[in-house]
Amino acid sequence: MKAIILAAGKGSRLHSAEADVPKALHELRGKPLIQYVLDNLDFLAPEDITIVVGFLGEQVKKALGSGYHYVEQKQLDGTAHATLCAEPVLRGCAEPVLVCYCDMPFLRRETYQAMFRLHEETGAGNTLLAAHIHPIPAYGRLIRSEAGEMVDIVEDSACTPEQKRIDEVNVGIQVLDGARMWDWLHEVDNDNPKHEYYLTGLVRVLARKGVKQSTLELADLSETAGVNSLEDLAAAEKLLDAGY
């Protein structure tokens, strides 16, 4: 098994530039955000983890050491583009590849492992972490066919009134078929308001191809908590106080 951690973001709402600290190294109770993720991926060897760096990437490399693979996203052009930066390291590997984020410190080891298990059990090309959340947050909605197959993810800002009522949302973590994912990623388009290449576009690509996709529903919604702002950081500290 392999993993890619996306850690190239600037963390503008965390005031990273002013603090001269990359988002991945912002501390939550004295520990960098990305270290929480790495701790919960400790069932993988460091050499099986590729970290995509960007803003102040040298700081990330220095802080985490030489045991991991590092690749650079020189232009912040979306999550699918960031994932493609790892292609030189991982193309040719047939193992399933987890794609996750440096700013989600509460996703548990058991959740990552369950995603790998479901991916192998179902023979899916793409296994997505989803959740039913109320009230419905401004997350991408999972669009399914009448047969229940996942065919698209529509971002909240682009949802129709009917789609807005869908309560099954994308948490953002995926496990992909390592042998085929790179060709699929190259087919993701940037037909969106920001003209960036997003991992969510992969669902539509695979639906067109008839590739099986599966979802793991997250039971503990606290695991969805990300840290994108100073307010999120304060909320994360409260979750730690509550025992998470």
Side-chain angles (χ1 to χ4, degrees):
M1 299 178 290
K2 306 288 185 182
I4 299 170
I5 304 177
L6 305 185
K10 291 183 177 180
S12 300
R13 287 185 288 161
L14 285 166
H15 303 293
S16 295
E18 295 93 322
D20 198 35
V21 175
K23 184 179 189 179
L25 297 184
H26 267 273
E27 292 190 351
L28 173 60
R29 289 287 163 82
K31 186 161 78 171
L33 290 173
I34 195 171
Q35 191 61 56
Y36 287 88
V37 179
L38 290 168
D39 288 348
N40 284 317
L41 291 175
D42 62 2
F43 59 94
L44 299 178
E47 59 266 26
D48 290 326
I49 297 175
T50 300
I51 301 173
V52 183
V53 299
F55 178 71
L56 300 177
E58 290 302 317
Q59 286 192 29
V60 178
K61 295 178 188 179
K62 183 177 179 181
L64 301 180
S66 59
Y68 306 100
H69 292 286
Y70 296 96
V71 295
E72 184 181 4
Q73 186 185 22
K74 295 181 179 179
Q75 179 179 343
L76 302 184
D77 205 14
T79 49
H81 177 264
T83 305
L84 273 169
C85 292
E87 183 177 8
V89 174
L90 292 174
R91 181 173 281 270
C93 296
E95 297 93 337
V97 178
L98 169 79
V99 184
C100 61
Y101 297 88
C102 72
D103 58 1
M104 298 183 73
F106 295 104
L107 276 168
R108 294 189 171 101
R109 176 183 299 102
E110 293 78 10
T111 299
Y112 291 126
Q113 291 173 325
M115 290 192 71
F116 277 118
R117 283 197 302 272
L118 180 65
H119 186 78
E120 294 186 352
E121 289 168 2
T122 60
N126 173 31
T127 300
L128 189 79
L129 189 61
H132 286 83
I133 305 178
H134 293 273
I136 304 170
Y139 291 180
R141 308 304 203 277
L142 270 62
I143 309 300
R144 295 186 180 272
S145 68
E146 290 185 2
E149 299 293 332
M150 187 167 55
V151 297
D152 202 359
I153 294 175
V154 178
E155 295 304 323
D156 179 74
S157 60
C159 282
T160 65
E162 183 180 3
Q163 291 169 338
K164 285 271 191 183
R165 293 193 289 271
I166 297 172
D167 67 349
E168 187 180 24
V169 300
N170 173 39
V171 176
I173 312 301
Q174 295 175 249
V175 176
L176 296 165
D177 181 327
R180 297 181 288 170
M181 62 182 285
W182 308 110
D183 291 336
W184 295 338
L185 283 165
H186 281 290
E187 293 187 43
V188 172
D189 63 43
N190 64 346
D191 185 17
N192 56 71
K194 290 189 176 180
H195 300 294
E196 294 183 349
Y197 298 89
Y198 295 126
L199 274 172
T200 50
L202 201 57
V203 171
R204 190 164 56 251
V205 169
L206 298 193
R208 286 199 304 262
K209 292 178 176 295
V211 175
K212 182 177 178 58
Q213 303 186 77
S214 62
T215 54
L216 177 70
E217 182 169 350
L218 188 60
D220 185 350
L221 300 182
S222 297
E223 291 187 61
T224 67
V227 179
N228 293 299
S229 67
L230 294 177
E231 292 77 15
D232 289 343
L233 197 61
E237 290 178 348
K238 289 181 180 178
L239 277 174
L240 287 179
D241 290 339
Y244 287 95

